[in-house]
Amino acid sequence: MSETEKIVLNLQQEMKRGTLVLAVLTQTDEAQYGYSLIQALTDMGMPIEQNTLYPLMRRLEKQGLLDSIWQVKENRPRRYYKISELGRNVRAVLIEEWQTLEETMSKLIGGVK
Amino acid sequence: MINDYLYTIGKYISPAQRDEVLREIESNLFDFLEQNFGQKEYTESEIEKAIRSMGHPKKVAEAYMESPRCLIGPAYIDTYWLVMKIALIGIAIGLTITNILTISDAKDGIQIFVQVIASVWNASLSAIGSITLIFALIQHFSPGEQETITKDWSLESIEKAPETHQKVSILELIIESIFICLFLILINQAAPTLAIAFPENNIIPILDMTLFKPFLIWINITMISNLTLNLYLLIKRRWQSFTRVIAIVIDIISVGIFTKLIMTPGLWDFKTLDYILKDDGVALETVLDLSLNLTLAVVVIIVAIDIFGHLRAMMKTKSK
């Protein structure tokens, strides 16, 4: 991998990191377990690594944005996450913020030759 | 293999979180296997794929840990190393001198050398253990977490730059601390062997240890207080009013102890000198007595100048 490719990859990961929280909050209206959420995000065009998503979900739960519950299905315990009331309120604010950011970036990028 | 993987991850996770995190990771691993290979008995290579999809055990553990695990955190590590260096230098020098002074059975230089190395090694290990334990306890009970910096941070969080009269001389403090460590080792280990040697194997001890012993605890307390003050100043990098008051009190107590030491009759045992040297002994005893009084006078003057310096600095601070 060339130096430029490394730099680009690093910056791409940083850009994605900023959007992950909102992405997770948009996909947890229905209860999801870790791997199902990875599948859902990948299907929507946002592939994500397991050891990025799982700790993130724990963090969001600690912040009160997600609720979790252990459920046993087919003899296997799984931890299911669902967006909380606080999570919904925060999501609404983040969506507005995102839309403003989108407009701003479009203007900035539009000015680039 | 999954058990081994979970065990390895568990080593890097704090006991409080371990069970829950490992349960979740195991669940995620089996989710991966089920989604990719169906519900069945999995082969080694399939399990390996699942493990590799999670990542290196250390990276996985780091991602789950809220903060890095450490015995001594960033808030204290610099002070820890500084204290360690001061203690080890003091011990090395102090014990070297003590061992040389107390050598009586050594047959040759190699024996002296081995004895010095062994005692310095032992004392250093004890010091390292004690200092590390103290700092680990400080870290545990007062982690020194960084304050959360918000957009509306207060200007009061800006530390005032020390004025000229408040600045401490770091080099002076370090040298003084090393000498204090040295002195403590000497006074506690070599005091009984302070003596004057004469021809024909006449060794005359200078101090009457029976009379000196009661002073030892007070000397130790004063020196350790001085050392603690120096370490505090090394951390804070400035004089404050209360530290100057403490320094003055330590100075006064030190002079008091030293005066009592000099003035205690019989503490400085020169009687044997008369017996061995006859008339010359009386003359030498007079000179030694005079030297002690002169030393006392010099110490009092030096301490008085030091106290005056502290008082003047405190007046300057007050006037501002």
Side-chain angles (χ1 to χ4, degrees):
Chain A
M1 199 186 278
S2 71
E3 205 54 45
T4 310
E5 280 168 344
K6 277 187 202 164
I7 292 170
V8 168
L9 186 65
N10 209 21
L11 293 172
Q12 278 174 335
Q13 282 170 345
E14 269 186 52
M15 271 173 71
K16 273 190 198 165
R17 222 173 281 142
T19 57
L20 271 179
V21 170
L22 182 53
V24 166
L25 292 177
T26 61
Q27 300 303 302
T28 43
D29 281 311
E30 297 298 321
Q32 301 262 21
Y33 61 92
Y35 203 76
S36 70
L37 190 52
I38 287 182
Q39 295 289 84
L41 288 170
T42 308
D43 291 344
M44 299 293 273
M46 186 170 256
I48 179 171
E49 286 185 8
Q50 294 181 74
N51 64 1
T52 304
L53 181 68
Y54 301 144
L56 173 63
M57 287 163 79
R58 279 175 63 86
R59 185 164 61 86
L60 294 177
E61 193 206 357
K62 274 201 163 63
Q63 289 175 323
L65 303 182
L66 296 177
D67 293 324
S68 80
I69 183 168
W70 281 95
Q71 280 186 0
V72 180
K73 281 186 181 167
E74 296 158 0
N75 285 332
R76 276 231 294 115
R78 280 195 181 109
R79 195 170 185 173
Y80 285 81
Y81 291 90
K82 193 174 172 192
I83 192 166
S84 67
E85 196 53 47
L86 174 64
R88 283 178 211 282
N89 296 336
V90 168
R91 183 176 66 185
V93 174
L94 289 180
I95 288 172
E96 269 187 45
E97 188 67 34
W98 174 260
Q99 285 163 347
T100 310
L101 195 60
E102 208 181 357
E103 267 182 53
T104 308
M105 287 310 296
S106 298
K107 281 184 210 162
L108 288 169
I109 293 168
V112 171
K113 295 200 171 98
Chain B
M1 199 194 285
I2 289 183
N3 282 340
D4 293 342
Y5 183 64
L6 293 173
Y7 169 75
T8 310
I9 294 173
K11 277 170 59 174
Y12 300 110
I13 295 184
S14 69
Q17 289 182 270
R18 195 175 292 145
D19 284 346
E20 207 199 319
V21 168
L22 292 183
R23 198 177 165 204
E24 195 166 329
I25 294 172
E26 188 183 22
S27 168
N28 294 331
L29 277 170
F30 280 108
D31 281 338
F32 178 92
L33 287 164
E34 206 176 286
Q35 293 290 335
N36 288 279
F37 307 110
Q39 276 189 3
K40 64 177 183 102
E41 196 77 26
Y42 303 108
T43 63
E44 290 267 319
S45 72
E46 286 165 349
I47 293 173
E48 188 184 332
K49 277 197 182 108
I51 286 171
R52 286 196 181 280
S53 76
M54 283 294 289
H56 191 282
K58 209 169 176 192
K59 288 279 177 203
V60 173
E62 270 171 23
Y64 274 94
M65 291 298 293
E66 281 144 18
S67 56
R69 296 181 75 197
C70 52
L71 186 65
I72 299 166
Y76 301 114
I77 192 70
D78 290 333
T79 311
Y80 169 75
W81 283 120
L82 181 63
V83 170
M84 192 66 82
K85 280 177 207 167
I86 291 171
L88 291 178
I89 292 170
I91 284 168
I93 299 172
L95 282 177
T96 305
I97 296 172
T98 308
N99 275 287
I100 291 167
L101 287 176
T102 57
I103 292 292
S104 55
D105 301 330
K107 290 189 174 59
D108 56 32
I110 295 174
Q111 194 171 349
I112 297 172
F113 182 71
V114 167
Q115 197 165 322
V116 166
I117 297 292
S119 64
V120 168
W121 177 254
N122 277 338
S124 299
L125 285 179
S126 297
I128 289 169
S130 307
I131 293 168
T132 306
L133 181 63
I134 289 167
F135 274 85
L137 286 171
I138 294 171
Q139 173 67 35
H140 181 75
F141 290 108
S142 176
E145 282 162 44
Q146 286 182 7
E147 51 173 306
T148 311
I149 299 168
T150 63
K151 212 167 56 173
D152 304 316
W153 58 274
S154 164
L155 287 175
E156 279 169 28
S157 65
I158 298 175
E159 235 181 272
K160 220 169 153 20
E163 311 263 340
T164 316
H165 64 276
Q166 289 177 319
K167 286 185 182 163
V168 295
S169 166
I170 304 293
L171 185 62
E172 212 175 279
L173 284 173
I174 291 174
I175 293 171
E176 192 184 318
S177 302
I178 290 171
F179 274 103
I180 291 174
C181 288
L182 221 101
F183 182 75
L184 281 170
I185 291 169
L186 283 171
I187 204 94
N188 287 291
Q189 300 225 12
T193 58
L194 284 173
I196 305 173
F198 287 92
E200 291 156 26
N201 291 327
N202 288 314
I203 309 280
I204 298 167
I206 292 176
L207 289 173
D208 183 332
M209 287 314 295
T210 321
L211 293 172
F212 181 71
K213 273 205 170 105
F215 287 96
L216 208 49
I217 179 94
W218 295 108
I219 295 172
N220 276 308
I221 289 172
T222 314
M223 290 294 108
I224 290 170
S225 303
N226 203 354
L227 193 60
T228 310
L229 176 65
N230 285 352
L231 291 173
Y232 180 82
L233 290 170
L234 280 168
I235 295 168
K236 289 292 176 185
R237 305 284 165 126
R238 70 171 72 215
W239 283 102
Q240 293 158 285
S241 295
F242 82 93
T243 51
R244 290 203 184 272
V245 169
I246 292 171
I248 291 170
V249 168
I250 291 174
D251 278 343
I252 293 171
I253 293 174
S254 303
V255 163
I257 294 172
F258 193 65
T259 309
K260 196 89 172 86
L261 268 171
I262 300 291
M263 298 301 186
T264 300
L267 176 64
W268 303 91
D269 186 5
F270 299 132
K271 284 195 291 296
T272 327
L273 277 175
D274 298 340
Y275 179 74
I276 291 177
L277 299 174
K278 311 278 189 271
D279 291 335
D280 289 341
V282 171
L284 186 57
E285 197 181 327
T286 310
V287 167
L288 287 170
D289 272 336
L290 201 62
S291 304
L292 284 173
N293 290 326
L294 200 61
T295 309
L296 176 61
V298 167
V299 165
V300 168
I301 291 168
I302 291 172
V303 167
I305 293 171
D306 194 41
I307 290 174
F308 178 71
H310 284 306
L311 288 171
R312 198 170 62 160
M314 283 167 74
M315 295 300 291
K316 255 190 192 158
T317 310
K318 219 170 183 171
S319 65
K320 290 199 176 183

